[in-house]
Amino acid sequence: MTAPAAPAAPLVLTKRRIWLIFSALMAGMLLSSLDQTIVSTALPTIVGKLGGVEHQAWVTTAYLLATTLVMPIYGKLGDVLGRRRLFLAAIAIFTVGSIGAAVTTSFWEFITFRAVQGLGGGGLMILSQAIIADIVPAKERGKYMGPLGALFGISAVAGPLLGGFFVDHLTWEWCFYINIPVGIAAFAIAYVTLTLPNKRPEKRIDVAGIVTLSLATTGLVFFTDFGGNDSYGWGSPITWLIFAGMAAAATAFVAIERRAQDPIIPLSLFRSRIFVNATAIGFVLGLGMFAALAFLPTFLQMSSGTSAASSGLLMLPLMGGLMLTSIASGLLITKTGQYRIYPITGTAITAVALIWMTTLTAATPLWVICVMMAIFGAGLGLVMQVIVLIVQNSVPPAQIGTATSTNNYFREVGASLGVAIFGSLFSSNLAGKLQDVFTANGASAAQASAAGASLDPAAMKALPQPVQDGIVNAYADSLAPVFWYLVPFVLIAFVLALFIKQIKLSDVSGMVARGEAITEDPAPAAAAS
């Protein structure tokens, strides 16, 4: 009789192995975060060369849709199948999408490859956060959150500069060519260092849940895109037909998840007050934060008259504030074990910054705007990474990936709604004010409308000084009221933060708790078992 195969020895999580795995995560996150900011600078050139100026919103929408779609899928499959192969697949998918985007000569082919990039980018984001929870106890996780926050800050500044350099001195295709060596290097690093176990599913994968959630997410992104689009708008029957389809898919998804053997988003998660509270903060803050971040660069570019690449430097104070508080809060959480104060303080600071931003005018000195942005970034840095830690610490070790992806998913949903709704408010206000500026300077209604639609910093520089002053005033007068609309949502996040429950941070990592690994010190593993 053949003896049964001995179970595989558990992984030993030494400090050296943890930092090697963390280096692979950093490489993957750099690949994803750098791409987004590079493309933002080169966007006008890309759509101009490929003949898609009137459809340029799809460059962002395609990536956002694909990223949001796959977040819950990567999170759940990572819990079920293990995260190593999924992380390698995400890097490969992202790199293939970059190659396709670089070599295409058709606008809609380019949009397709941007979606492929999003399919990989969403995985890199979710799996990185879940793997950190797998290998590092919640009690120590704060010190690893800081470098990740710093990486996003560096990418936010370096991306626009690189994108501007490629457009000015090489070609726009280099914005994607650069991902090829970075992607290969990230894959090699992850292949060697990401020594995580693979698994076999013990239950049937929730295919029906994946399909209905994907349909509901697609409907949401299209609903917000059509609602914020001048060609359709919120009063269009097509916009509300899409909403009806989205609502039907969401209803079907909830019904399926109630009966699924292993649901992609277990409804039991929403019985946890801590999880619901932290996820609601992410949703509300995502709604306000991304809307503000979407409009600030445009205002800075028009008011300062700098190029797109140079205006990226003007976002440095915001990223500096975010990096500083993200790193500091992570270290302090590791030292004290207390996390509740940071979302409360962060949402309060963010609200103060937004209220101050409502005073923006064309005459506001640039240094004052930089201080506003630094405070805004400092508030965000105290919240965004901390709520992920709170969510991960509040769920069973077997649901770390699912909980992480669900939290991020609702933040992206909030971002989609915020950018669409408040973007349409900003755009409609701006269009009317720009038309008034041009008609006041002798243009006919048709000429004023055409001039406002094709306005960019280079075109503005060629206009008479009174017209330039009027344009900057129009941007400031259109943007400041939008911040007033965002303030209530950040205040809601503040109230939610007041009700966050402080519980003890786990001193056992996810893999150790699940029996998949042991630490150098066997005491935590023994306690977990």
Side-chain angles (χ1 to χ4, degrees), residues 138-147 323-338 342 381-382 385-386 389 505:
K139 190 175 180 181
E140 300 176 16
R141 209 170 296 154
K143 64 185 178 185
Y144 293 88
M145 289 156 42
M323 288 168 58
L324 179 66
T325 54
S326 177
I327 293 171
S329 61
L331 293 174
L332 287 170
I333 289 171
T334 298
K335 183 178 180 179
T336 65
Q338 303 296 309
Y342 300 106
L382 290 170
Q385 296 275 12
V386 178
L389 172 64
L505 289 174

Side-chain angles (χ1 to χ4, degrees), residues 264-315:
I264 187 171
I265 297 182
L267 300 182
S268 60
L269 285 175
F270 298 94
R271 298 191 193 110
S272 166
R273 196 184 85 181
I274 298 174
F275 174 85
V276 170
N277 203 340
T279 301
I281 292 171
F283 171 80
V284 175
L285 203 61
L287 194 149
M289 177 188 76
F290 285 98
L293 291 176
F295 311 135
L296 271 174
T298 302
F299 171 74
L300 289 170
Q301 198 173 331
M302 298 303 290
S303 63
S304 66
T306 59
S307 66
S310 299
S311 66
L313 288 174
L314 297 176
M315 296 296 286

Side-chain angles (χ1 to χ4, degrees), residues 14 30 32 36 47 76 114-115 136 142 155 192 243 270 284 293 301 326 338 349 360 367 438 451 469 501 514-515 518:
T14 63
L30 176 65
S32 174
Q36 295 181 52
V47 296
K76 183 63 181 182
R114 279 293 288 164
V136 180
S155 299
V192 173
F243 176 82
F270 298 94
V284 175
L293 291 176
Q301 198 173 331
S326 177
Q338 303 296 309
I349 292 173
L360 272 176
W367 71 266
F438 285 110
D469 294 340
K501 185 180 179 182
R514 296 193 299 267
I518 59 174

